[in-house]
Amino acid sequence: MRKFLILLILLGLGLTGWVGYDYSTSGEEFARFELTGEAGSTDLISLEPSLNSMRALLSVTYEIELLAGSATAFDYSIMLTGPGGLTAFTAEGQQRDKREDNTPEYATKNLEQVLKTFAVPAPGDYVLDWRIIPDKAKVISGAISLRRNVEPLRIPYLIAGVVCFGLGVLLLIRERRKTI
């Protein structure tokens, strides 16, 4: 019985991981922009509705000294605007890191984050404006990539994965309590 429960937990983790990986890598990379400095704009990007659905991803490599408590590594703000000031998407947020003990540690970290899944509202030339403001981190490099014809998040598989994992853990704990 215990092997079955462990397989159920692994199935749940596998399904959940696969859904996350598929979500961030589906479609085809349409454009990639290397980011230099704290803020900037890209050249004009020609987009059209036949590329829908599109997804924007942010990749940042940074160095940070991790201390006890939470530290803000950097804040980011990204906006894609098109003809006539039409906004395709905006994304804002901050990256936070923390260390559990009081010993300082310098770490180089990589952030790979899906910013937004969006639809191109009208054909035309678009501009990607970005801002990455370091706080406690030193930003080494950054990039924004746009993927075209991406698949939506596969909710049924995600739910199945979470249910399998939760059920496996619950039954494993229950079985363990019976043997004690």
Side-chain angles (χ1 to χ4, degrees):
M1 178 71 170
R2 181 173 227 141
K3 288 181 184 179
F4 171 73
L5 296 177
I6 291 173
L7 284 174
L8 192 62
I9 291 170
L10 290 176
L11 175 67
L13 287 173
L15 273 173
T16 306
W18 173 71
V19 168
Y21 177 78
D22 185 53
Y23 179 70
S24 65
T25 61
S26 73
E28 178 183 339
E29 187 170 84
F30 177 74
R32 183 174 177 85
F33 305 98
E34 298 299 324
L35 310 179
T36 55
E38 288 187 4
S41 297
T42 63
D43 293 332
L44 293 176
I45 312 161
S46 182
L47 299 177
E48 57 188 55
S50 68
L51 302 172
N52 290 340
S53 290
M54 294 195 72
R55 189 168 290 136
L57 293 96
L58 174 66
S59 302
V60 178
T61 302
Y62 60 98
E63 292 177 344
I64 187 167
E65 179 182 9
L66 297 173
L67 301 172
S70 184
T72 302
F74 58 86
D75 296 319
Y76 64 87
S77 174
I78 298 157
M79 182 180 350
L80 181 67
T81 53
L86 183 66
T87 302
F89 82 86
T90 60
E92 293 183 352
Q94 63 180 208
Q95 175 63 23
R96 300 183 67 80
D97 291 294
K98 72 178 189 174
R99 183 176 166 100
E100 298 301 325
D101 58 24
N102 290 329
T103 309
E105 177 185 304
Y106 290 92
T108 300
K109 296 191 162 211
N110 295 312
L111 169 73
E112 297 281 337
Q113 180 174 340
V114 173
L115 293 172
K116 196 75 120 181
T117 301
F118 64 97
V120 176
D125 292 329
Y126 288 75
V127 174
L128 193 59
D129 296 310
W130 56 272
R131 195 172 48 97
I132 298 178
I133 307 298
D135 189 2
K136 302 279 191 248
K138 176 185 173 191
V139 175
I140 298 169
S141 67
I144 298 173
S145 61
L146 300 177
R147 299 186 72 82
R148 66 181 184 150
N149 304 118
V150 296
E151 297 291 326
L153 184 62
R154 298 174 190 233
I155 301 288
Y157 291 115
L158 182 62
I159 292 171
V162 170
V163 167
C164 285
F165 178 77
L167 188 61
V169 168
L170 183 69
L171 292 175
L172 193 62
I173 291 170
R174 186 172 173 214
E175 179 183 306
R176 192 170 175 155
R177 285 186 180 168
K178 284 182 180 179
T179 59
I180 293 178

